[in-house]
Amino acid sequence: MAQEEQHKHPAILRYFDEIVPIERDAINARRAAIRHRRKGFQRGDIGEPRALPGPKSGSRRDEVPAFPYPADDGPKEDDTDDVRKGGNRAPDARRTRPRPEPRDLTGLALSGGGIRSAAVCLGALQALEVHDAIDGLDYLSTVSGGGYIGASLTVAMSAPSPPDEPPPEFPFQRRVQGWSDPRDTAAVGHIRNYSNYLLPRATPGVWNISEAAVILLRGILANAVIVGATLLFFAMLTKHAYPRSETLWLGSFIPRLVGFDTFPFLVTLVGVLALVAVLISWVLWRSAYMWYASSAVQDHQARLPSDRDVASPLLKLATMLVIVTIVLAVLDLQPFLLVGLRRFYEWAQASHFGPKPLSAVLVSVTSFFTAVAALSGKLGQFLDASEHAFDWRTTAQRIATRLAIWLAAVLLPLLLLFAYLHLAAWGIEGMDPVLHPSAPIAKLYPWAFALAFIVGFWFKPNSYSLHQLYRDRLSKAFLFDPSDPEDQPSDDFKLSNIDSQRSPYHVINAAMNIQGSLAANQRGREADFFTFTRDFVGSDITLYASSNECKPAYAACLDMEKADPALDVATAMAISGAAFSANMGSNTIRPLSPTLALLNVRLGYWLRNPRDLAKPRRAISRLGDVVHLILNKFYLLAEMGNFLDETSRRIYLSDGGHIENLGVYTLLQRGCQLIIAIDAECDPALAFGSLIKMERYARIDLGIRIDLPWEEITAASRRYERELADGTLSCQWNNGPHCAVGNILYHDGNEGVLLYVKSSVTGDETDYVLDYKRRYPAFPHETTGDQFFSEEQFEAYRALGFHAVDRALAGSDQIALSDELKARGITPEMMLDWVKQMLACNGVLA
């Protein structure tokens, strides 16, 4: 679309291939600003990919993988007009997940891993600054914990300062003469002080715990209001259908609601008969069709269209009847459950089983599923990590874990059913005295329901979740003005205020949960990539909304920050790190979703769908707004039942690690030729799960192959751990490797380099890092559930991150090279020189 046409018809929808040029304009502007500030800066505007050192092997180009999406063999259909007219058509598949266009771009990816990753990545950033490489980075891609320090860097570098001066010195300090590691700045000291950010040490411990407990209680009570209104509604219906105990035997639920007496399960029987009739009719239709088709072929008539089972409208009708029949059976079962409850209390009285033992059972059950919900993240991590273990002990633990999860998943619905039956029984005359209190509390049901409904109707999904507490704690710890970290917080710093001429172009990665999407979740990923940047917010399947309308003509449209005033850098950072929720992308534990949602274990965030923002605000759309306003009140049900997709008015976002934990995927999308990845995930088995998952996604979605020799890092780390455990430590150690260099093969044959740094210990680290390793063998892969780091713990991880990156760039450590690079005669020294050329800043990178 021409520039004039964009002015005339601004649209909020943007495909990724339209966003990339805008990002590259911003990167070119930053390169120009750095050239102006640093006269010797060598990098010009974005150009073609640079050749790798050494001769290229023709065999690699012969192995270019076929791209898995339709070829660009004609003009693409523009769906902007459809959206402007109020449609909600799915994006053009030919323009989603487009082929990357490799350029001489550089990117830094900081992985997820909570405060552990933030500490490692802080050290890595300090090492990059010591080697004068930050100005050589075009992109910064962060996930979860890497986003803590990444957002801190971006906000600090965007702090006002004279245009000809470098950004504020954060979080870096130049290397002190004679020392390898820089000393702390005030900003780094502030982050260190808040390494226990969830329960900051500056606040008394009792007060911290009380604040967290009150916020947890607030969320549970808010959910109790919503659930209470629902239970009261159905209890009133049951009371109306069966006003007296003798009416419990007088018929099906729905006929009783309108005053008709029938035999039990009549409506369920009607549903079953309707289902039988549809299935028999379907068989007769198929038989008649096959007979007619056979006759037509014999008579040499035209070939008839095939009649497929999966495309038959009778299949949809039969499926709907199955669901309806199950619902009718549950409703018709209510009087029998009420009679069973009465019999239970009669037995309890006869056997002197009083209310105290029953209360104890209820308390125990509640405590059990609450504990399982609280440990759901660790349970999920254990099942993930032990998936390929076959020893009897691990197998037994997996069975016990799954039983605990399913038991906790079943207990909560049973408790809710128990509460509903009591509410219904208290309103039915003639029930057992235990079930029919002397006080007429059932008369209060309509008033209680009305009050709960009105109060609950005004609840907003993000207003009482744990997101706000998490966001505020992170903001206090990591977002500040580096000139005065304590007194000048940057709590409300907007995405659109990021100064992309001073900081690398920041991509904050989140996961959009689509467990309920039949179209977008065909591969079972349960989530899709969702990103926040200075200019746009969105994903391939929701497309992109501008971050701020006060931008050039390409973004002259209703903006996301206007639609959601709470959206800022702190909010995006917290969304990217929302590790625990009822819906966690590929990490979702579906049986526990209802329990987690009802207990308000909800760190995720409901955001306006970018596609929805594009719809016109006409009269009919105003009516649609009212409908959506009502439907949006079922957000708790959507979280409980995983009814989440990409077409709803609001989408549910969670931790970027729930889809891809390294942040490398989005850099591959943008065609970066050099990617530096800092992997600080929890990986005690050193199985490199996040790396392997990223490689699979890159191959399937983008047609990109990656060859990285990560096994050498595992071997070096395992060797040190064995000798540490055996007490046979040697004084002579080979340095590293902590770093592996692999090649990236793009779909068009162009090549890139992945410089991958793994959080690992090989024995050449500083004394206090090795001492910490001796005392805490799980280091550097202590559980992500530990977000309460001590000063010693934080420093051990920071120093490890600095050591790994510093020694790799200095050439002091071994660097693992892929077999492909070795076969072409490329040495680590040659590869390191090429990396330095890509990052060259004033010729002083050393």
Side-chain angles (χ1 to χ4, degrees):
M1 186 183 290
Q3 189 78 4
E4 298 81 9
E5 192 67 16
Q6 284 188 331
H7 279 291
K8 185 177 178 182
H9 298 295
I12 200 167
L13 284 186
R14 283 289 180 268
Y15 286 97
F16 183 76
D17 58 6
E18 294 173 314
I19 291 174
V20 169
I22 297 167
E23 294 182 353
R24 291 181 179 173
D25 286 346
I27 291 170
N28 279 332
R30 178 169 181 261
R31 288 185 175 186
I34 296 173
R35 279 199 301 270
H36 177 73
R37 191 177 73 242
R38 307 175 62 165
K39 303 304 181 182
F41 189 73
Q42 299 172 0
R43 302 169 71 215
D45 287 348
I46 297 170
E48 293 296 320
R50 298 187 181 188
L52 267 64
K56 279 193 175 183
S57 62
S59 61
R60 293 293 291 175
R61 288 184 174 271
D62 295 338
E63 296 173 6
V64 174
F67 195 74
Y69 287 91
D72 184 7
D73 52 3
K76 301 179 179 68
E77 183 180 359
D78 190 356
D79 62 2
T80 302
D81 288 337
D82 171 74
V83 175
R84 191 181 294 116
K85 294 174 183 177
N88 196 25
R89 189 169 59 194
D92 185 350
R94 293 171 296 177
R95 298 189 67 182
T96 58
R97 308 209 194 285
R99 306 180 184 190
E101 299 177 6
R103 291 291 185 269
D104 65 334
L105 292 159
T106 59
L108 173 66
L110 305 180
S111 81
I115 191 65
R116 178 190 61 248
S117 179
V120 172
C121 293
L122 169 60
L125 286 170
Q126 289 176 314
L128 287 168
E129 175 63 9
V130 161
H131 289 272
D132 202 27
I134 294 295
D135 280 348
L137 296 171
D138 297 313
Y139 279 106
L140 172 64
S141 176
T142 63
V143 181
S144 190
Y148 301 172
I149 195 64
S152 189
L153 170 71
T154 297
V155 170
M157 294 184 76
S158 298
S161 64
D164 291 338
E165 294 184 9
E169 192 176 68
F170 172 82
F172 323 111
Q173 177 92 8
R174 296 290 179 176
R175 194 193 305 264
V176 179
Q177 186 70 29
W179 295 88
S180 62
D181 202 346
R183 60 182 174 86
D184 277 6
T185 61
V188 173
H190 173 87
I191 293 175
R192 195 187 299 280
N193 292 340
Y194 280 88
S195 60
N196 194 21
Y197 68 95
L198 285 178
L199 297 174
R201 284 179 284 270
T203 306
V206 174
W207 188 262
N208 270 328
I209 295 173
S210 299
E211 282 183 343
V214 167
I215 290 174
L216 285 169
L217 181 62
R218 179 193 66 184
I220 293 173
L221 288 178
N223 281 344
V225 170
I226 298 173
V227 173
T230 305
L231 295 179
L232 282 171
F233 175 75
F234 284 105
M236 288 190 296
L237 287 181
T238 305
K239 176 182 175 296
H240 179 74
Y242 306 102
R244 296 176 302 278
S245 60
E246 57 268 19
T247 61
L248 292 173
W249 306 103
L250 295 182
S252 291
F253 190 90
I254 293 179
R256 284 295 307 168
L257 282 176
V258 293
F260 289 102
D261 295 341
T262 62
F263 61 86
F265 292 99
L266 172 65
V267 179
T268 302
L269 181 60
V270 171
V272 171
L273 292 176
L275 177 61
V276 170
V278 168
L279 294 178
I280 294 298
S281 301
W282 194 3
V283 174
L284 292 174
W285 162 255
R286 292 279 293 145
S287 301
Y289 173 85
M290 294 177 69
W291 175 82
Y292 181 73
S294 176
S295 301
V297 171
Q298 291 178 3
D299 295 341
H300 305 286
Q301 296 181 11
R303 188 174 183 180
L304 296 177
S306 61
D307 178 34
R308 303 294 184 187
D309 277 352
V310 293
S312 173
L314 290 175
L315 174 62
K316 296 180 179 179
L317 178 60
T319 304
M320 291 179 60
L321 280 174
V322 169
I323 296 172
V324 170
T325 302
I326 292 173
V327 172
L328 293 175
V330 171
L331 292 175
D332 283 348
L333 193 62
Q334 302 312 301
F336 294 90
L337 293 176
L338 287 165
V339 171
L341 185 67
R342 183 174 64 182
R343 298 274 173 83
F344 169 76
Y345 276 107
E346 290 173 352
W347 167 82
Q349 287 181 340
S351 59
H352 305 290
F353 186 75
K356 287 186 178 180
L358 182 60
S359 300
V361 172
L362 291 176
V363 170
S364 300
V365 168
T366 305
S367 301
F368 172 75
F369 71 70
T370 302
V372 172
L375 297 173
S376 59
K378 292 185 178 181
L379 296 178
Q381 289 175 3
F382 167 73
L383 291 176
D384 226 15
S386 62
E387 184 176 3
H388 301 293
F390 299 104
D391 60 285
W392 69 268
R393 181 173 297 175
T394 304
T395 302
Q397 291 173 344
R398 286 177 59 84
I399 293 173
T401 300
R402 290 191 178 278
L403 285 176
I405 288 173
W406 279 103
L407 188 58
V410 170
L411 285 175
L412 184 60
L414 288 178
L415 284 177
L416 294 178
L417 176 63
F418 196 64
Y420 150 74
L421 290 176
H422 278 76
L423 288 172
W426 289 342
I428 298 175
E429 297 180 8
M431 294 293 282
D432 188 275
V434 176
L435 292 175
H436 191 69
S438 57
I441 62 173
K443 293 182 179 180
L444 300 176
Y445 284 3
W447 299 101
F449 168 75
L451 178 62
F453 179 81
I454 292 172
V455 171
F457 186 82
W458 290 105
F459 289 168
K460 293 186 178 296
N462 298 325
S463 61
Y464 65 91
S465 70
L466 298 178
H467 162 82
Q468 192 65 40
L469 171 66
Y470 183 51
R471 177 232 180 254
D472 292 348
R473 291 283 199 254
L474 284 174
S475 179
K476 177 65 175 174
F478 291 97
L479 303 186
F480 47 80
D481 187 323
S483 63
D484 196 347
E486 295 297 335
D487 296 334
Q488 297 187 29
S490 301
D491 181 69
D492 58 351
F493 195 92
K494 293 291 186 180
L495 288 163
S496 55
N497 290 337
I498 293 174
D499 189 344
S500 61
Q501 291 193 22
R502 292 182 168 273
S503 65
Y505 197 92
H506 195 173
V507 181
I508 301 175
N509 295 276
M512 179 177 64
N513 287 269
I514 52 172
Q515 287 88 347
S517 174
L518 298 179
N521 197 29
Q522 294 179 1
R523 296 175 184 166
R525 292 182 183 178
E526 312 274 14
D528 194 53
F529 301 91
F530 194 93
T531 57
F532 298 88
T533 69
R534 183 199 71 153
D535 296 306
F536 290 95
V537 175
S539 72
D540 285 330
I541 59 175
T542 63
L543 304 185
Y544 297 84
S546 67
S547 298
N548 189 297
E549 64 181 347
C550 300
K551 285 284 188 347
Y554 61 76
C557 51
L558 183 62
D559 65 287
M560 186 62 80
E561 288 180 350
K562 184 177 179 181
D564 187 347
L567 181 61
D568 50 29
V569 173
T571 300
M573 171 178 61
I575 293 171
S576 178
F580 299 108
S581 185
N583 297 271
M584 300 181 287
S586 57
N587 297 338
T588 301
I589 306 176
R590 285 183 179 250
L592 279 183
S593 291
T595 302
L596 294 173
L598 288 175
L599 291 178
N600 201 44
V601 182
R602 301 165 57 237
L603 282 175
Y605 192 84
W606 286 91
L607 184 74
R608 185 78 171 271
N609 192 328
R611 287 172 66 183
D612 184 73
L613 282 177
K615 293 184 178 179
R617 303 294 101 186
R618 302 194 185 103
I620 189 163
S621 66
R622 300 295 179 188
L623 178 62
D625 288 345
V626 176
V627 174
H628 282 297
L629 178 64
I630 297 172
L631 293 177
N632 286 342
K633 299 306 173 182
F634 292 93
Y635 59 86
L636 191 62
L637 179 63
E639 290 186 48
M640 292 170 60
N642 309 119
F643 305 131
L644 304 169
D645 60 42
E646 76 285 4
T647 63
S648 58
R649 186 181 179 86
R650 291 185 179 273
I651 51 178
Y652 190 70
L653 306 176
S654 62
D655 194 312
H658 293 160
I659 180 72
E660 198 268 297
N661 199 42
L662 290 182
V664 172
Y665 182 95
T666 52
L667 298 180
L668 293 171
Q669 270 188 311
R670 288 159 170 80
C672 289
Q673 192 179 16
L674 171 62
I675 298 175
I676 302 174
I678 311 299
D679 184 358
E681 70 166 343
C682 182
D683 185 15
L686 289 177
F688 291 71
S690 292
L691 173 67
I692 292 169
K693 180 186 286 188
M694 180 275 295
E695 289 178 350
R696 183 174 77 247
Y697 288 165
R699 176 63 183 85
I700 294 171
D701 294 354
L702 308 174
I704 294 173
R705 287 184 180 176
I706 297 174
D707 181 15
L708 186 85
W710 55 267
E711 298 88 351
E712 294 185 38
I713 300 177
T714 300
S717 182
R718 284 282 177 257
R719 182 178 66 245
Y720 176 76
E721 289 183 349
R722 283 195 303 270
E723 296 194 7
L724 179 63
D726 297 341
T728 58
L729 285 175
S730 170
C731 295
Q732 297 181 347
W733 278 96
N734 293 324
N735 296 330
H738 301 280
C739 172
V741 175
N743 49 334
I744 303 168
L745 181 64
Y746 282 97
H747 68 93
D748 62 355
N750 278 300
E751 291 184 289
V753 169
L754 174 61
L755 193 155
Y756 173 87
V757 180
K758 182 71 170 180
S759 182
S760 58
V761 177
T762 61
D764 62 333
E765 294 77 14
T766 190
D767 288 345
Y768 59 80
V769 172
L770 297 177
D771 177 66
Y772 188 86
K773 172 69 174 176
R774 281 190 289 269
R775 291 182 290 118
Y776 301 97
F779 173 82
H781 300 288
E782 294 168 297
T783 173
T784 309
D786 179 9
Q787 294 295 294
F788 310 96
F789 272 27
S790 65
E791 175 187 282
E792 178 191 23
Q793 191 175 14
F794 185 87
E795 173 58 18
Y797 281 97
R798 186 213 63 82
L800 179 63
F802 180 88
H803 168 87
V805 175
D806 175 52
R807 298 290 290 271
L809 291 180
S812 303
D813 259 2
Q814 293 185 48
I815 296 178
L817 280 184
S818 67
D819 291 338
E820 163 65 18
L821 295 176
K822 291 178 182 178
R824 290 156 59 175
I826 298 175
T827 65
E829 292 75 19
M830 295 169 61
M831 197 73 256
L832 190 58
D833 286 342
W834 184 89
V835 170
K836 290 179 179 181
Q837 291 174 19
M838 288 290 292
L839 296 173
C841 304
N842 207 24
V844 297
L845 198 156

